[in-house]
Amino acid sequence: MSISTVVIAVLLLAVGLAIGFFVGALHTRARDIGRSGELAGAMAQRDALQAQLERTQADREAMSREFQRLSGEAMQRQTLAVNQTAGERLAETKLLMEPVAKSLHEMNDRLLQVERARAQGAADLAQQVASVRHSNETLRRETEALVTALRKPQVRGAWGETQLKRTVEIAGLVDRVDFDTQVATETADGGLRPDMRVNLADGKVIFVDSKAPLGNFIDAFQTDDPDQRTRLLDAYVANVITHINQLGAKNYWRLDAGSPEMVILFLPSDALLQVALDQRPDLHEYAARHGIFLSSPSILIPMLRAVQHGWKQAAFAESAQQVATLGRELYERLSTMGSHMDKLGRSLGGAVKAYNETVGSLEQRVFVTARKFGELQLADDELSSPRAAETSPRVLTAPELVDDTAALEAAPPDPATAGPGSPATPASAASHGVAGPALTQLGRQGEAQ
């Protein structure tokens, strides 16, 4: 309900109340004056009231029209103000929501990218799962084929020998240099052919034999019955013990008199040795009583590394012997060369002395007579006097480079090599021949070796 309607209803109610009041008053007055007079007065009042009512109705209609006009203008102004305020608030809201809209747009783009990446990742994952499934199936078939092949004794033997050779190569040994494989030897008890013979640095050898008792081992880990697995592992350990007994009875060390009385039993996998030791912890002691030492790749590699180190030390010792031999030879040759140099120095000293004597004779005897030609004006140019040689050859003072040591001690100090106030004593001679004592010590070390 609008405000104008309420106002009109209030006005009508007031007019009705006023009319009712006046009508009641007329009726009362008419009863007091009389019916006739009162009726005339009442009629007159009625007419007046009727006219007043008409005027009131006219005023009401005018007031209603004015009120409608004023309420319309107020409503229009209020609507304009509300629209302006709403527009301003909408502009402010848009300004505030711009970063949010931008973030939502960026999030939408990012979600689209993530969705595309997820779809691509799902496709790649499906492809990888299919590839893994195919690889697992291929691996399963190859594993079954490998297990089937390893059940054959000849295949197990070839695998064990290959593992042994690969382990030795990892340790740094060279085939046909540091070790030999399948070397057959005939003995009085028959032919012996160890899988490998490792050469030591001192001319001795160590024999290695590879065994791969995989039959019961594979069956033990394929069964789900714990009792059956225990029985198969006991059978596997029994096979290892059988190989120890058979290998100990062959006595491979008899093939080389200087070799250690031991044979290495090589198991191609660390798991084979570990399972055997888990089933029988005293297996190493049992094998050692038969001259057999158990090993796996992790044990044999450091053992062969020690062998390789022995080879290196032997090579170093041989190189040191060669260095000592070369040192002695160099020392002898330096001594011979020193004697030749001493003779050459003495010869140069004699040549310098003869040159100086010749220059003295030329100046004192020949030029004296020749200058008389100038006094007789028979020659225009003057004769130039040659200069004497002032530098003498350095004398060798190292005892190792001079044959006649007694002559060296009796010889006067060399002014060219001796400083002021320091004659060429044996101490200074040692300072000039620094290589002499070092070569002497090197020669003595070579003779000691």
Side-chain angles (χ1 to χ4, degrees):
M1 182 181 294
S2 63
I3 299 175
S4 60
T5 305
V6 174
V7 173
I8 293 169
V10 171
L11 291 175
L12 290 175
L13 181 60
V15 171
L17 290 175
I19 293 171
F21 176 77
F22 284 119
V23 171
L26 288 175
H27 282 255
T28 303
R29 186 175 181 183
R31 281 192 302 265
D32 293 338
I33 298 173
R35 286 186 81 79
S36 59
E38 291 178 357
L39 180 62
M43 291 298 290
Q45 288 183 357
R46 185 193 66 179
D47 293 336
L49 290 175
Q50 185 69 29
Q52 187 178 0
L53 179 61
E54 290 176 358
R55 289 194 300 272
T56 302
Q57 288 180 350
D59 293 338
R60 181 183 63 81
E61 291 177 359
M63 186 180 297
S64 177
R65 288 193 296 271
E66 183 66 20
F67 182 78
Q68 288 180 357
R69 185 182 65 79
L70 294 175
S71 63
E73 292 178 357
M75 184 66 68
Q76 187 176 3
R77 289 195 299 271
Q78 186 177 3
T79 302
L80 292 175
V82 168
N83 290 336
Q84 184 178 1
T85 304
E88 293 176 355
R89 290 183 179 179
L90 180 60
E92 293 176 357
T93 304
K94 286 183 178 180
L95 184 62
L96 291 175
M97 293 301 292
E98 248 182 54
V100 178
K102 185 177 179 181
S103 300
L104 289 176
H105 183 70
E106 292 178 354
M107 182 178 294
N108 187 27
D109 294 341
R110 181 59 180 168
L111 287 176
L112 291 176
Q113 294 177 2
V114 170
E115 181 63 22
R116 286 195 294 268
R118 186 196 63 78
Q120 183 65 31
D124 295 342
L125 180 61
Q127 184 179 1
Q128 291 179 2
V129 169
S131 177
V132 169
R133 185 183 297 112
H134 177 70
S135 300
N136 288 339
E137 183 64 23
T138 304
L139 180 61
R140 185 185 63 80
R141 291 196 301 268
E142 291 179 353
T143 302
E144 291 179 354
L146 178 61
V147 170
T148 303
L150 289 177
R151 292 182 183 277
K152 299 177 181 180
Q154 61 272 19
V155 176
R156 293 200 301 265
W159 176 67
E161 293 172 2
T162 302
Q163 284 291 97
L164 175 59
K165 186 175 180 180
R166 177 60 181 158
T167 301
V168 173
E169 290 175 350
I170 291 174
L173 302 186
V174 181
D175 190 10
R176 300 184 184 278
V177 177
D178 301 324
F179 68 92
D180 299 294
T181 58
Q182 302 294 335
V183 179
T185 305
E186 293 294 332
T187 63
D189 298 332
L192 295 176
R193 190 177 66 178
D195 291 334
M196 182 174 291
R197 185 180 64 185
V198 180
N199 302 319
L200 301 180
D202 54 357
K204 300 179 178 58
V205 297
I206 295 178
F207 295 97
V208 184
D209 202 77
S210 175
K211 300 297 180 183
L214 291 175
N216 295 322
F217 183 85
I218 295 174
D219 294 337
F221 287 96
Q222 284 185 340
T223 182
D224 295 331
D225 186 2
D227 297 333
Q228 180 68 14
R229 181 181 291 112
T230 302
R231 287 193 296 272
L232 290 172
L233 291 178
D234 291 339
Y236 161 70
V237 175
N239 290 336
V240 175
I241 292 174
T242 300
H243 286 307
I244 292 174
N245 296 333
Q246 292 175 353
L247 193 59
K250 291 181 179 180
N251 296 328
Y252 279 143
W253 55 82
R254 293 182 304 170
L255 301 178
D256 192 286
S259 299
E261 294 184 0
M262 57 172 285
V263 177
I264 297 176
L265 175 59
F266 176 74
L267 296 176
S269 173
D270 293 332
L272 295 174
L273 179 58
Q274 185 61 45
V275 170
L277 292 175
D278 291 341
Q279 296 300 117
R280 183 165 179 175
D282 64 337
L283 192 59
H284 275 303
E285 290 80 358
Y286 178 82
R289 289 196 296 269
H290 292 76
I292 306 299
F293 290 89
L294 302 175
S295 71
S296 61
S298 61
I299 297 176
L300 188 60
I301 289 176
M303 186 185 301
L304 296 179
R305 280 286 186 180
V307 173
Q308 185 191 29
H309 181 71
W311 276 108
K312 288 183 179 180
Q313 295 301 318
F316 289 157
E318 184 179 356
S319 299
Q321 183 64 32
Q322 293 178 358
V323 169
T325 303
L326 292 175
R328 287 197 301 270
E329 183 178 354
L330 179 63
Y331 181 80
E332 294 173 356
R333 293 183 179 182
L334 285 175
S335 179
T336 303
M337 180 181 176
S339 62
H340 294 327
M341 292 293 294
D342 183 63
K343 291 179 182 179
L344 178 61
R346 295 177 186 276
S347 299
L348 289 176
V352 170
K353 182 179 179 182
Y355 173 77
N356 291 336
E357 291 177 353
T358 303
V359 169
S361 175
L362 181 63
E363 289 180 345
Q364 297 175 5
R365 305 299 300 271
V366 178
F367 279 0
V368 172
T369 304
R371 288 190 180 95
K372 293 180 179 180
F373 285 99
E375 295 175 358
L376 298 176
Q377 297 182 354
L378 296 177
D380 296 333
D381 298 331
E382 294 183 358
L383 295 174
S384 58
S385 302
R387 290 182 296 176
E390 298 177 355
T391 303
S392 60
R394 181 173 179 173
V395 179
L396 295 176
T397 57
E400 293 82 2
L401 302 178
V402 180
D403 290 337
D404 192 359
T405 306
L408 176 64
E409 295 176 353
D414 185 6
T417 58
S422 59
T425 60
S428 64
S431 66
H432 292 297
V434 178
L439 292 175
T440 304
Q441 183 178 3
L442 181 60
R444 290 173 180 174
Q445 291 178 355
E447 293 175 358
Q449 293 179 356

